[in-house]
Every structure is written in structure tokens, then in C-alpha cells.
Amino acid sequence: MSGTLSGKVVEIDETGNLVTDIPGDQLSGAPRDATLRVVVDEHETYGLYPADHSQPAMTLVAILDAGEPLKVVLVGDSASAMLGVQVGALVEVYW
């Protein structure tokens, strides 16, 4: 099964994480591995991770926790500041 979702960054939280308007339940049937690609602005990452992941610092990851919208996080830093992504940036998810 393949799919595509589009949304946008609707908030930048206090640590610079990019909060999207893509509800987590819309990704319930999507794979969690590297066959899923998330593109925000011109940056991309592969896979979906829980908030308690063990990815190394400065890794761009897509975070999906139950009941939460999709977030894009730069581990240990501000995704917004480091990548120059602001509210309104396009977010696309492919699998």
C-alpha cells in the first residue's frame, strides 16, 4: 500500500521542533521504516520514530506519538533555526 499526505508546519515549539497539521491517526497504516519519507521545505528524513527514540544528535527525525500530530525534530537542536524552516512551510509524507 502506498500513500501521500500533505500538510504544513503550524507551530514551532519552545525547543524549535516543527509541529505539523498532519494528525497522527492519518499515519496509522503507514510504515515506520525507511520506506516512508518526510519532506519539510527542502529537507527530508526517512521513517517515523517515537519521542523516546535513540537517534544521534543533529539527526533530522519525524516523530509520531499517539494522539499527537506529526513533528519534525533535529535531535539536540532547533530544527527551525538550523534549517531555516518557518510556520507555513510545506510538509509532505510519502510511502
Side-chain angles (χ1 to χ4, degrees):
M1 175 175 104
S2 63
T4 303
L5 288 173
S6 293
K8 62 183 177 182
V9 175
V10 294
E11 177 186 348
I12 298 169
D13 72 13
E14 64 280 352
T15 59
N17 298 328
L18 310 173
V19 181
T20 77
D21 63 354
I22 299 174
D25 62 348
Q26 289 188 3
L27 291 165
S28 62
R32 299 299 192 252
D33 62 13
T35 61
L36 181 135
R37 180 171 62 121
V38 178
V39 180
V40 57
D41 201 20
E42 60 188 38
H43 309 281
E44 64 184 14
T45 185
Y46 292 86
L48 291 173
Y49 295 87
D52 64 347
H53 63 83
S54 60
Q55 294 300 302
M58 301 307 287
T59 302
L60 187 65
V61 294
I63 303 292
L64 187 62
D65 279 327
E68 296 287 324
L70 178 69
K71 296 179 185 174
V72 180
V73 174
L74 185 62
V75 179
D77 212 328
S78 168
S80 176
M82 292 298 289
L83 304 177
V85 176
Q86 298 299 316
V87 169
L90 179 64
V91 179
E92 296 175 299
V93 183
Y94 305 97
W95 69 94

